Amino acid sequence: MAISTITHDYDEVDLDEVWKVIEENLPQLLSYIEPLVSNDDNPE
């Protein structure tokens, strides 16, 4: 699914497929991003 499909043919996007990609790829993406984000930059 290309970005142009999401942008221009959003009524044809298979939301189940989008959700599947999110579920399968988000944990790995987060594992790459989390070390780059320092907690020192976000005081609570």
Side-chain angles (χ1 to χ4, degrees):
M1 177 182 324
I3 191 71
S4 62
T5 300
I6 294 172
T7 304
H8 301 291
D9 296 323
Y10 56 87
D11 57 331
E12 296 179 21
V13 172
D14 182 346
L15 295 179
D16 290 330
E17 185 67 22
V18 172
W19 188 250
K20 179 181 170 187
V21 169
I22 290 170
E23 285 186 322
E24 292 177 1
N25 296 305
L26 190 58
Q28 183 177 9
L29 177 61
L30 284 173
S31 72
Y32 290 135
I33 294 173
E34 286 178 330
L36 301 174
V37 179
S38 171
N39 286 335
D40 296 335
D41 294 337
N42 296 320
E44 292 182 22

